[in-house]
Amino acid sequence: MIRAAKYVSAALCAIWALSAWALGVGDINVQSRLNQRFNAVIPLTSATAGDLDNLKVQIAGSEEFQRAGIERSDFLSSLSFRVDTAGAQPQIVVTSSQPALDPVLSFVLEVRGPNSRLLREYTILLDPPAEQP
């Protein structure tokens, strides 16, 4: 009886540990500057092939912005998101259709998978281009 309980406990611990390997997003890597079209990548962590096939990435709704205490700027409507699986690590590519004119950009990202929903807040300081002498 005790031996069976140990096996059941070990199995439950293993299942719990596997569930901890859920889809995640990393830190944003901005590749543009102030007064340029926004361009950045966000690595996806612990993503399975099934996750990647069914991901939907977008700016979160107004309620999430209010909960985070962030004002939703009009510029965020120009952002588009695409999941890129071509490299060694899958990533979300973020681009804008217009230049980023505000040096501080804050948004809440929503990533939806078949069985999950992930929200992450990003705040970015866009440095102006370096002046050439």
Side-chain angles (χ1 to χ4, degrees):
M1 180 73 173
I2 294 176
R3 184 175 278 170
K6 287 182 182 179
Y7 288 124
V8 170
S9 294
L12 289 175
C13 287
I15 291 170
W16 178 79
L18 288 174
S19 69
W21 288 68
L23 175 69
V25 292
D27 293 333
I28 193 165
N29 179 5
V30 179
Q31 302 170 342
S32 58
R33 298 208 175 261
L34 188 63
N35 298 323
Q36 296 177 343
R37 289 186 179 180
F38 187 74
N39 186 16
V41 293
I42 302 169
L44 288 165
T45 59
S46 303
T48 66
D51 289 334
L52 296 173
D53 290 339
N54 299 304
L55 280 186
K56 183 176 181 184
V57 182
Q58 62 188 13
I59 291 291
S62 299
E63 292 176 10
E64 284 78 13
F65 273 80
Q66 288 176 346
R67 275 190 224 129
I70 300 174
E71 184 177 327
R72 192 179 192 286
S73 71
D74 292 337
F75 174 75
L76 298 180
S77 298
S78 78
L79 295 180
S80 62
F81 304 91
R82 135 182 104 74
V83 177
D84 180 10
T85 59
Q89 180 179 18
Q91 59 188 5
I92 300 167
V93 178
V94 186
T95 56
S96 70
S97 60
Q98 54 187 272
L101 303 177
D102 193 348
V104 178
L105 177 63
S106 294
F107 62 90
V108 179
L109 183 71
E110 178 179 11
V111 181
R112 284 186 181 264
N115 299 314
S116 62
R117 178 176 181 239
L118 173 69
L119 296 171
R120 169 109 188 238
E121 178 184 341
Y122 289 98
T123 300
I124 300 128
L125 177 61
L126 294 172
D127 292 329
E131 293 189 27
Q132 301 285 332

